[in-house]
Amino acid sequence: MNILVTGGAGYIGSHTIVELLNAGYTVIALDNLVNSSRKAFERIAHITHKTVEFIEGDIRDKALLKKIFANYHIDGIIHFAGLKAVGESAEKPLEYFDNNVTGSLCLIKAAVAAHVPHFVFSSSATVYGPEAPVPYQETMPLGTASNPYGQSKIMVEQILSSTSAAVNNFTVTLLRYFNPIGAHCSGLIGEDPKGIPNNLLPFVTQVAVGKRAQLSIFGGDYPTPDGTCIRDYLHVVDLAKGHVKALQASVRQQDGQVHIYNLGTGRGISVKEIVETFENVTAKAVPYTVAPRRVGDLTAFWADPSKAQQGLDWQAEHTLEDMLKDAWRWQENNPEGYGEN
């Protein structure tokens, strides 16, 4: 099967491509390299001994999409491409809606026109909204996101659901995942944010490697055991395998329906627990200061992953220690990431 992976050079996309290739799929990757590196594909080839057909371009380029679907028989799509920084989305809402929503709409239209039967979307736990009780379950209604990034995910979910209802044989899988961390065990691919990291782990590892002086923990007065936010962290390789499982389930079902799954561990871990465990497993100090809370940060949330366990035969297998060791191996081996920042 030929699978089009948008955002394939990115953090989650590159790890998912490794798992797709290992599972025997042929991959066509599309990426505009705004927040990623083409070097990821060289590393993927080294890991898998297989090559990826890489196309540099934007999902908003309708002519390019038309050409891709004309030149390749695409059996399924895994859609990662999009901007993803919560804070930045509040500063640049139009850019986020244009990239994430308009871009997805262009891709979905092209997929429907080409009669692609399987569409897996990289969604987020943010779609549950700030009022949802924990643990998050797929039966909960879509919430009201507190930032444009989350709003864009909700909008694309709605577009895909409506399209699946109106178009025959268009099976959609919405994967709502939580906080991916870690890296491939080879240390060859990992998270390489351009500029100041927006996620916790790249900041932790960059402090440990000496690239940054200290970590800022945003808020130390939350109503949690240690005063810091709690999240559901899962290994990026587990997450990548979840996408392969979702694609395989979609092919088995071929029912033209919408399927929704949480991808998480079901365990909440605090920011301080992440830092302390990282220091324990790596013997590297991570000095930090406690900064004021960020607007929009929730106190605690985590997944109920039971539906994915039952419906996809998927569950997170890596421990927190595994995640942090792998994240550090990537950073230590690649102190400047892919070297293009």
Side-chain angles (χ1 to χ4, degrees), residues 127-195:
V127 303
Y128 289 108
E131 305 303 325
V134 292
Y136 292 169
Q137 297 176 318
E138 295 88 345
T139 53
M140 293 176 178
L142 288 171
T144 303
S146 57
N147 55 75
Y149 164 76
Q151 291 166 357
S152 74
K153 292 294 187 182
I154 291 172
M155 293 168 73
V156 176
E157 281 204 11
Q158 292 172 326
I159 292 168
L160 282 166
S161 297
S162 297
T163 303
S164 180
V167 175
N168 290 331
N169 302 317
F170 187 61
T171 301
V172 169
T173 307
L174 307 175
L175 296 181
R176 297 172 178 170
Y177 42 82
F178 287 69
N179 292 68
I181 60 175
H184 192 268
C185 62
S186 66
L188 291 174
I189 58 174
E191 189 167 10
D192 182 27
K194 294 188 177 180

Side-chain angles (χ1 to χ4, degrees), residues 15-16 19 235-248 263 312 314-315 317-318:
H15 286 81
T16 300
E19 300 305 322
H235 200 294
V236 65
V237 172
D238 285 330
L239 181 60
K241 290 179 178 178
H243 288 77
V244 177
K245 291 276 192 178
L247 180 63
Q248 292 169 338
L263 296 184
L312 300 181
W314 174 92
Q315 63 181 6
E317 297 178 350
H318 290 81

